[in-house]
Amino acid sequence: MSLDGPFADDFTLGVSLPAAPSITIDSGLAAGYQAITGDPLRLPLSAVDSTAVTGGDARLANPGLVLQVAIGQSTVATRRVIANLFYRDVALHRQVHIGDTITTTVTPVAVKLTRPGSRARRAKVLLRIETVDQQQRLVARFERLALLPCRDPDGVDERGEIGGPTLDRPLDDYLPFVPSDWKLGVFPGHYTGIGDSVADPLADTVSGALELVRLTQNQAAAHRDPTRGQDGSRLVYGGHAIGLAQASLARTARGVATVVGWRSCDHLAPVFEGDVLDFHVKELDRVQLDDAAALVGFRVVAAARDRTEVLDWRPVALVNTDSNTSGATS
């Protein structure tokens, strides 16, 4: 396997790749991510609120940042990536706090060639990804489908099932990932529901794309080198759009305490530096946990202005539904 990264035919299904360096989620990393996404999620912003709700001494790390780092570490398999097609069954088995260190393992589990056509055949490679903390406790588990070039398409062993995004995974599947010891009744602000699709009045401009891939140790050349991107332009890392979508969710759905997973994330079209993104947020379903807490499935659609929809992201969030709470800092 070269330093430039594997081709699709270099993988051995079921055999994990050498892991990328472990990364400590410190306050500098958190500040860099915040500068790029502007995410107003409360607990990662406020040590006071985080301590009151989670009971931990260290501030909660933004769940978006944690998953962005895990994805960046997974690029040991996708330095040559042409496009990332989707993420599915993303689950944060535990919430991460500032000071935790995470390590990610990537295992290819299925490969399927694209149809013959005018261009060289490429391969869809399904990757299973697991992330643990410094105590080897499972932090995240998910799958991503990457489109990769082939060294020799005739040498690609098509095996395994690819499938598609899991759009309707039951909310009950995410109940084990809800922190059992959080005091959500003191979370500032409560969720009253948003029903049908709500347009976020605040659009956002994609900036700092190179900074985010460097911050998260994303090694995909298409996000760094214009000649490896599309039509001479660097592709913006798909997680960048997700980070801005999570920021939109936190703005429009007041009362979101954290994200515990994504049912799926479908990248509908490429994103480029300078794109202006508009967001629509919709509640899909809800499971009430107690008087103060609920698990809510959302759908966030992002569209590049004057172009097309670029993202269909379906997060599952823990929200505070207690209208009587005053909050730790309010």
Side-chain angles (χ1 to χ4, degrees):
M1 190 177 298
S2 73
L3 289 175
D4 200 26
F7 288 86
D9 30 337
D10 292 330
F11 294 117
T12 302
L13 297 188
V15 176
S16 300
L17 278 71
S22 301
I23 295 178
T24 300
I25 310 294
D26 62 13
S27 57
L29 199 67
Y33 182 74
Q34 185 63 32
I36 293 168
T37 66
D39 192 337
L41 199 64
R42 284 179 177 266
L43 298 186
L45 289 177
S46 168
V48 173
D49 289 335
S50 182
T51 298
V53 173
T54 72
D57 295 332
R59 180 164 46 103
L60 185 73
N62 191 303
L65 170 60
V66 174
L67 288 169
Q68 307 286 7
V69 169
I71 293 167
Q73 291 175 319
S74 80
T75 58
V76 293
T78 56
R79 292 190 183 102
R80 296 181 184 270
V81 73
I82 298 164
N84 196 72
L85 302 178
F86 63 69
Y87 298 92
R88 72 179 176 206
D89 296 338
V90 179
L92 275 165
H93 288 247
R94 66 184 307 107
Q95 297 288 309
V96 170
H97 291 256
I98 299 299
D100 284 339
T101 298
I102 63 175
T103 307
T104 297
T105 302
V106 186
T107 308
V109 294
V111 177
K112 184 176 179 61
L113 286 168
T114 58
R115 296 175 181 175
S118 59
R119 66 175 67 189
R121 296 186 77 182
R122 299 169 291 181
K124 299 174 184 178
V125 181
L126 185 65
L127 303 168
R128 182 170 296 143
I129 296 162
E130 290 191 350
T131 301
V132 299
D133 67 7
Q134 65 276 10
Q135 297 181 41
Q136 297 302 304
R137 298 175 297 186
L138 184 61
V139 168
R141 179 181 284 144
F142 57 97
E143 292 182 332
R144 62 178 289 216
L145 183 65
L147 183 65
L148 290 167
C150 304
R151 195 187 305 276
D152 176 11
D154 293 334
V156 173
D157 184 13
E158 294 186 276
R159 288 192 295 137
E161 293 295 325
I162 297 290
T166 309
L167 304 180
D168 55 356
R169 184 176 178 182
L171 272 185
D172 287 353
D173 287 0
Y174 290 87
L175 292 176
F177 314 133
V178 175
S180 60
D181 54 351
W182 282 19
K183 298 176 181 177
L184 214 60
V186 301
F187 181 82
H190 70 283
Y191 177 70
T192 58
I194 56 175
D196 290 336
S197 183
V198 172
D200 185 348
L202 184 60
D204 219 334
T205 300
V206 178
S207 65
L210 276 171
E211 287 72 17
L212 183 60
V213 297
R214 292 167 179 156
L215 191 76
T216 58
Q217 289 296 296
N218 189 310
Q219 303 296 309
H223 305 319
R224 297 182 180 228
D225 182 349
T227 66
R228 302 280 290 274
Q230 187 175 101
D231 298 327
S233 298
R234 280 185 291 104
L235 288 174
V236 168
Y237 157 53
H240 198 135
I242 298 169
L244 297 178
Q246 183 177 293
S248 178
L249 174 66
R251 285 193 297 270
T252 56
R254 189 169 183 264
V256 172
T258 194
V259 171
V260 299
W262 314 342
R263 279 168 158 154
S264 67
C265 179
D266 196 359
H267 295 295
L268 305 174
V271 176
F272 300 97
E273 184 99 23
D275 277 351
V276 179
L277 301 184
D278 293 295
F279 303 93
H280 284 77
V281 181
K282 180 179 183 179
E283 178 182 326
L284 299 176
D285 47 6
R286 186 191 313 195
V287 172
Q288 196 68 37
L289 305 179
D290 54 38
D291 291 342
L295 207 56
V296 179
F298 291 98
R299 181 186 184 194
V300 184
V301 175
R305 191 170 293 175
D306 301 326
R307 197 149 52 86
T308 185
E309 291 183 352
V310 297
L311 180 73
D312 182 348
W313 179 56
R314 305 196 181 204
V316 175
L318 178 64
V319 305
N320 173 35
T321 57
D322 185 359
S323 61
N324 296 315
T325 182
S326 59
T329 60
S330 56

